[in-house]
Amino acid sequence: MSEEAELPVEAPIEFPAEEPDSYSRGAIMLHWITAALVLSTIPLGWFGASFESAAAQTATNAHKLIGMAILALTLARIGWRIAHRPPPYPDAIGPRVRLAAKIVHSAIYALLVILPLTGWWMSSAVPKRHPIGFEGVIELPFLPIAQSWASAGPAHALHVNLGWVMVALALLHIGAALKHHFVDRDTVLLRMTRVRKR
């Protein structure tokens, strides 16, 4: 009777048994809400700028309103981060990776403030204004600045170009988180998905 060769079985992903030193509940909530809004406002902005229709104008209005919500949430996140110290990186993360992560995170935070402000500036400066929000439902005020293309033009250029930088950084951030989880098999991603117990 011949013995059948046993096929190798791939080992499952194993993470440390202990609970990772996670972010606080408030930080996790603010992070994922902001992420969802950013991922939704990018296609809305692209659609609104690419077509001329009632649907495109609705998308643009939603894009503006979501952008202002992102600005408010980001300011809240900055305040929360100052008051609640983030957890340390896992010991296996080297100094170069930590520095790169800090640079990317700082750039994302900066863009989460600058992009809504340049959009607000552009919407306020164009000669023919459209509501920031939805007319008769919810409208945010315009900035007290002069209306001219000399002012709106640079704001538009900044908003569009920095928007592409945000897309690149968001993809880099997501890719790095997935690499940590599935390739490096450390607890970097788990820190933002598991609420700390203490």
Side-chain angles (χ1 to χ4, degrees), residues 99-125:
L99 177 60
K102 288 180 180 179
I103 292 173
V104 171
H105 290 159
S106 297
I108 289 175
Y109 268 102
L111 289 176
L112 289 174
V113 173
I114 295 171
L115 280 169
L117 289 178
T118 55
W120 197 4
W121 170 16
M122 176 176 61
S123 297
S124 303

Side-chain angles (χ1 to χ4, degrees), residues 14-167:
E14 295 182 0
F15 296 105
E18 71 273 10
E19 186 76 9
D21 197 355
S22 304
Y23 284 88
S24 63
R25 186 182 302 274
I28 292 174
M29 180 180 66
L30 289 169
H31 172 273
W32 290 111
I33 292 175
T34 303
L37 291 178
V38 169
L39 292 177
S40 64
T41 196
I42 291 173
L44 285 172
W46 175 84
F47 179 79
S50 301
F51 301 95
E52 293 184 5
S53 64
Q57 187 59 54
T58 299
T60 298
N61 292 343
H63 173 79
K64 294 177 183 179
L65 201 57
I66 293 173
M68 300 307 291
I70 290 172
L71 175 61
L73 283 171
T74 302
L75 295 177
R77 287 183 70 186
I78 293 172
W80 187 274
R81 192 178 181 90
I82 293 172
H84 300 78
R85 186 175 181 180
Y89 287 103
D91 294 337
I93 304 298
R96 291 184 179 179
V97 175
R98 296 185 187 209
L99 177 60
K102 288 180 180 179
I103 292 173
V104 171
H105 290 159
S106 297
I108 289 175
Y109 268 102
L111 289 176
L112 289 174
V113 173
I114 295 171
L115 280 169
L117 289 178
T118 55
W120 197 4
W121 170 16
M122 176 176 61
S123 297
S124 303
V126 290
K128 185 179 179 181
R129 287 174 170 174
H130 294 280
I132 303 177
F134 294 94
E135 190 172 1
V137 180
I138 178 171
E139 295 182 55
L140 299 178
F142 295 105
L143 292 172
I145 58 178
Q147 293 176 246
S148 69
W149 284 114
S151 178
H156 176 265
L158 272 175
H159 193 72
V160 171
N161 292 324
L162 291 179
W164 286 114
V165 175
M166 172 60 87
V167 170

